[in-house]
Amino acid sequence: MWRGYQKVTTLKGDATSGPDVPQTQSKSVTRYFRGAGGTLKDSVGTIELGEDRPEFAGLAAETLTYDNSTGSTDPVKRTLTFPDSRQTASRTRDGGLDPLLAHRVWTKRSDAIQRVGSRWRSVRTETVSMDTDHGLPLAVETSVVQPDSSGAEKHSNYTCAKTDYANNDDANIIGLPKQVRTTATSCDGAATATKDQLISAVRDTYDNKAWGDTPTAGLVTTEQTNDAAGPGWIRSALNTYDPFGRIRTITNAKGDLVSRTEYTPGDEGGPVTSMKVIDGLGHTVTTTLDPGRGLVLTRTDTNSHGTRSQFDAFGRLIKGWTPSHSSGTQNPDVQIS
């Protein structure tokens, strides 16, 4: 059974060169999971990336980047991918065939390895906690990994991002972040992180409800960030929407207007033909749209400087005018035929 290529080499650039035009090609090699079974190891043969399961077929297992396409045999950078999966559904099949299975697949860990002299160093990103029912990462840890004097791994420069979600399974609203807290610690130490170890904390409230309430439309109405002391919260943005769920106004922590968006047609509905965005100083950017495709036809700033675009029947750009040429019958700056 054909399971795809095990390894693909990509060369970029012109291989030819002259005395006055030296050329070199970049080279990268990608190795793949193919669902062939067994344990797949890295190109060195020392690190097990995981079992080569059918649901992983086509995933990049390792990417190697080289200095050039000819003289270098050792990559300057390698990226390793360690996938994981969870079965979500199955269906029996006639004729003695194995059941047809569906899986949710995610990256459990990735290592970006770089050569530093005769040694190596990597940035490891690992999903240490996962909501497997919804396929959502709950805690993601990054660290710098280097070999110590004995050759074992030594971790440093930890960060941990923990995310809580506001899901509404009945309305099929899945994956909206309720709170994201990032600390300069491992995920094991995130719960006891001090204010000096807190990198950021963000809370989102949806649909004009209280924080933590189940969303019904999934529109972010209030955004909060941590205060200077760390454990408290301050409002960073307040958003309002029109009846169609389109952003209408954004105000900042002081209650000052950041932007207001006006649509044509407005609340009566219909395909949008233009939008005007007005910032807190009254400056405007007006955009006209092709209502059938949503393509930007013109964009004019508060100084009446504008750009203009023309498209063919397939929605492909064929002519474009910059502000210096966008008026009258001047020739386009870009013309594609």
Side-chain angles (χ1 to χ4, degrees):
M1 179 186 295
W2 169 249
R3 294 185 179 274
Y5 291 105
Q6 184 182 32
K7 182 173 70 174
V8 175
T9 300
T10 303
L11 303 176
K12 293 183 180 180
D14 192 348
T16 62
S17 63
D20 300 322
V21 188
Q23 297 282 354
T24 184
Q25 289 180 303
S26 65
K27 176 184 175 181
S28 64
V29 176
T30 304
R31 301 174 62 243
Y32 292 93
F33 287 95
R34 297 188 299 156
T39 300
L40 185 65
K41 295 185 177 182
D42 69 337
S43 55
V44 181
T46 59
I47 301 176
E48 294 185 357
L49 304 179
E51 185 180 352
D52 194 4
R53 303 177 194 164
E55 63 265 28
F56 297 155
L59 292 178
E62 180 178 13
T63 302
L64 304 96
T65 304
Y66 295 84
D67 274 338
N68 55 68
S69 62
T70 55
S72 178
T73 58
D74 294 327
V76 296
K77 180 180 179 180
R78 296 193 300 145
T79 301
L80 308 180
T81 301
F82 302 76
D84 202 353
S85 68
R86 178 178 184 267
Q87 182 181 321
T88 57
S90 65
R91 178 171 63 84
T92 58
R93 294 190 288 183
D94 297 332
L97 297 175
D98 292 335
L100 185 64
L101 306 178
H103 292 82
R104 176 178 288 117
V105 177
W106 65 90
T107 299
K108 180 175 60 177
R109 169 184 147 193
S110 67
D111 289 358
I113 305 170
Q114 287 186 310
R115 195 174 63 220
V116 182
S118 60
R119 300 166 68 85
W120 60 267
R121 178 176 61 193
S122 74
V123 176
R124 177 169 298 173
T125 303
E126 186 171 5
T127 302
V128 298
S129 180
M130 187 81 177
D131 175 359
T132 55
D133 290 334
H134 298 105
L136 300 173
L138 300 176
V140 178
E141 180 181 277
T142 63
S143 62
V144 175
V145 184
Q146 292 177 288
D148 61 16
S149 57
S150 65
E153 292 183 346
K154 178 183 178 182
H155 293 251
S156 62
N157 298 93
Y158 281 104
T159 63
C160 175
K162 289 194 170 185
T163 305
D164 297 324
Y165 296 92
N167 296 325
N168 184 341
D169 291 345
D170 293 336
N172 200 29
I173 298 175
I174 306 298
L176 297 180
K178 180 171 62 176
Q179 176 175 298
V180 181
R181 190 171 185 267
T182 306
T183 58
T185 65
S186 66
C187 285
D188 286 340
T192 57
T194 66
K195 66 176 184 179
D196 295 330
Q197 293 173 311
L198 180 63
I199 297 174
S200 66
V202 179
R203 279 183 172 181
D204 287 338
T205 303
Y206 298 90
D207 308 322
N208 292 313
K209 298 177 179 291
W211 181 79
D213 286 354
T214 301
T216 53
L219 301 176
V220 179
T221 47
T222 304
E223 300 175 39
Q224 294 176 298
T225 59
N226 59 285
D227 61 12
W233 298 93
I234 58 174
R235 193 186 76 188
S236 57
L238 181 66
N239 307 322
T240 65
Y241 300 84
D242 70 6
F244 301 100
R246 302 175 299 194
I247 190 70
R248 174 168 280 165
T249 63
I250 302 174
T251 54
N252 61 20
K254 297 171 61 178
D256 297 331
L257 179 70
V258 175
S259 70
R260 183 176 79 252
T261 304
E262 299 175 353
Y263 302 89
T264 303
D267 291 355
E268 65 272 20
V272 177
T273 58
S274 72
M275 297 189 315
K276 179 187 286 187
V277 180
I278 307 165
D279 68 13
L281 298 176
H283 300 154
T284 64
V285 176
T286 302
T287 303
T288 62
L289 304 167
D290 174 354
R293 291 191 174 96
L295 299 172
V296 175
L297 302 178
T298 66
R299 181 174 281 117
T300 307
D301 66 16
T302 196
N303 297 310
S304 299
H305 297 157
T307 60
R308 185 159 56 99
S309 301
Q310 184 177 329
F311 303 88
D312 65 11
F314 297 99
R316 300 173 299 192
L317 177 69
I318 55 175
K319 293 180 182 179
W321 290 263
T322 62
S324 60
H325 287 170
S326 61
S327 61
T329 59
Q330 292 175 307
N331 292 329
D333 297 274
V334 176
Q335 186 164 352
I336 303 172
S337 59

